[in-house]
Amino acid sequence: MLNERPVLGFIPTKDFARARAFYVGLLGLEEVSADAFALFVKANGISIRIFLAGEFTPAAYTILGWSVTDMVQTVAAMNAVGIVFEQYAYLEQDAAGIWTAPNGARVAWFKDPDGNTLSLSQS
């Protein structure tokens, strides 16, 4: 039914200026439009609506992630622009914050300015 329809992601924010600086300025997503209610961006053709949510508690899990081809290079490039990757006590991660799953997939997590958890993964 919906397999042929475009996907739209949603991310809450408390502050559009910080969200724009992060998602457009640091991550390099394409800004499509903005109004008083939402900032629309695209990531490789996928639309994401970053909406003004007021006060909220960020989810305790990943809300959006990207598949990358070179985890080490991508993490290093993101570190170079000031993005810090999370370290979780319950996972065995390397110094860069990269966790290798039992199946060999690699994952690293980071947060946006509102505390939303985002991730990178490499299979």
Side-chain angles (χ1 to χ4, degrees), residues 11-30:
I11 300 173
T13 187
K14 298 173 191 172
D15 184 321
F16 279 143
R18 281 189 325 178
R20 178 181 282 115
F22 181 78
Y23 287 99
V24 176
L26 287 180
L27 298 185
L29 303 187
E30 174 192 353

Side-chain angles (χ1 to χ4, degrees), residues 15-96:
D15 184 321
F16 279 143
R18 281 189 325 178
R20 178 181 282 115
F22 181 78
Y23 287 99
V24 176
L26 287 180
L27 298 185
L29 303 187
E30 174 192 353
E31 182 173 338
V32 176
S33 67
D35 59 31
F37 304 102
L39 167 65
F40 285 91
V41 298
K42 282 199 174 190
N44 194 30
I46 302 297
S47 297
I48 302 167
R49 182 175 192 234
I50 302 168
F51 64 96
L52 191 59
E55 291 302 315
F56 69 94
T57 301
Y61 47 82
T62 304
I63 65 165
L64 186 67
W66 288 265
S67 177
V68 299
T69 56
D70 187 329
M71 179 67 75
V72 172
Q73 178 185 19
T74 305
V75 167
M78 292 174 73
N79 283 157
V81 297
I83 296 171
V84 176
F85 285 81
E86 298 295 302
Q87 290 283 349
Y88 297 107
Y90 54 88
L91 292 175
E92 289 187 35
Q93 294 167 274
D94 66 15

Side-chain angles (χ1 to χ4, degrees), residues 99-105:
W99 173 64
T100 303
N103 68 357

